[in-house]
Amino acid sequence: MSLPPSIPLFPLSNALFPSGVLHLRIFEVRYLDMIRRCLAEGTEFGVVILLEGSEVRQAGKTELLGSVGTMARIESCEAPMPTLLELTCVGTTRFRLASSEPGKYGLWHGQGTVLADDAIVPIPPTLQGGADALGRLIARLQKQGVPGEQMPMAAPFRLDECGWVANRWAELLALPPHLKQALLGQDDPMLRLAQVQALLAERGLLD
């Protein structure tokens, strides 16, 4: 995939990883315009981690964006009100920002380079605990009757791949923004899963 010359950016306190699901409620003018343009043109937008500042624009407050992001493809869009859009998006390609700047209404744009997709790396026995814990979580949500479109991750559940398992945990865990960014920028999926599993162990989530 090639990136557009100017990427419209959506800073969030959480990270979006490739194949991740993102539910958004859009009401700010800057993002309503951005999403409508993406829908009309069939294009994606970039989700980057917000290192400092607020997701909702505040007068006199500055925003500090992370240097790594993921392109988001809009899967569905509903407009319950003229000034409200409800989206379901899926992460596609990671990218690294070379530069970024705010524009009209405070909407950020940036230029970046594509980061390679994760290699398909089977989960070694030493990291099986993280995959098993995620499998239990998915089974529990399914048993509770959570509809597929409301699940925090989308099928197919690739519980045998280091990258997929690491990415889903990195989205789910409450972690500082700088740590989310470090995981998103980690190119080795096995190393990313090892880092995530250490965090799961610290929180007692492997049992």
Side-chain angles (χ1 to χ4, degrees):
M1 172 183 173
S2 60
L3 298 174
S6 180
I7 308 168
L9 300 174
F10 197 114
L12 287 175
S13 57
N14 197 12
L16 175 67
F17 285 71
S19 300
V21 178
L22 178 65
H23 300 287
L24 293 173
R25 289 170 59 87
I26 307 296
F27 55 87
E28 288 190 76
V29 171
R30 55 177 172 168
Y31 296 132
L32 289 170
D33 287 351
M34 180 191 78
I35 294 302
R36 287 168 179 152
R37 188 174 298 110
C38 288
L39 289 168
E41 299 174 357
T43 55
E44 300 180 359
F45 61 95
V47 175
V48 292
I49 298 169
L50 187 62
L51 299 178
E52 293 180 13
S54 172
E55 291 182 352
V56 178
R57 191 181 182 194
Q58 298 178 357
K61 300 290 186 179
T62 59
E63 299 165 338
L64 177 62
L65 310 188
S67 60
V68 185
T70 301
M71 298 300 291
R73 181 180 67 243
I74 301 171
E75 293 286 282
S76 66
C77 177
E78 297 184 4
M81 298 169 56
T83 56
L84 176 64
L85 298 177
E86 295 182 341
L87 307 179
T88 298
C89 306
V90 173
T92 59
T93 303
R94 293 183 308 142
F95 62 90
R96 187 174 299 278
L97 277 178
S99 63
S100 60
E101 60 182 3
K104 189 178 181 181
Y105 305 125
L107 177 65
W108 287 83
H109 282 81
Q111 294 75 44
T113 56
V114 171
L115 294 177
D117 293 337
D118 282 345
I120 298 177
V121 179
I123 295 177
T126 53
L127 298 178
Q128 188 61 45
D132 291 344
L134 186 59
R136 290 193 296 270
L137 173 60
I138 293 170
R140 185 163 65 249
L141 293 173
Q142 291 175 328
K143 187 175 181 179
Q144 292 170 354
V146 177
E149 64 273 13
Q150 295 179 17
M151 292 276 282
M153 68 286 290
F157 304 130
R158 306 200 303 269
L159 292 167
D160 57 347
E161 293 181 21
C162 283
W164 193 90
V165 172
N167 293 351
R168 301 295 75 79
W169 274 125
E171 291 167 339
L172 289 168
L173 290 172
L175 302 172
H178 71 275
L179 186 48
K180 294 257 186 182
Q181 177 175 255
L183 291 169
L184 183 57
Q186 172 56 255
D187 289 328
D188 185 333
M190 187 181 295
L191 183 54
R192 191 185 311 136
L193 181 56
Q195 293 167 335
V196 165
Q197 182 152 303
L199 294 167
L200 293 171
E202 288 176 5
R203 291 160 170 75
L205 297 175
L206 292 178
D207 300 327

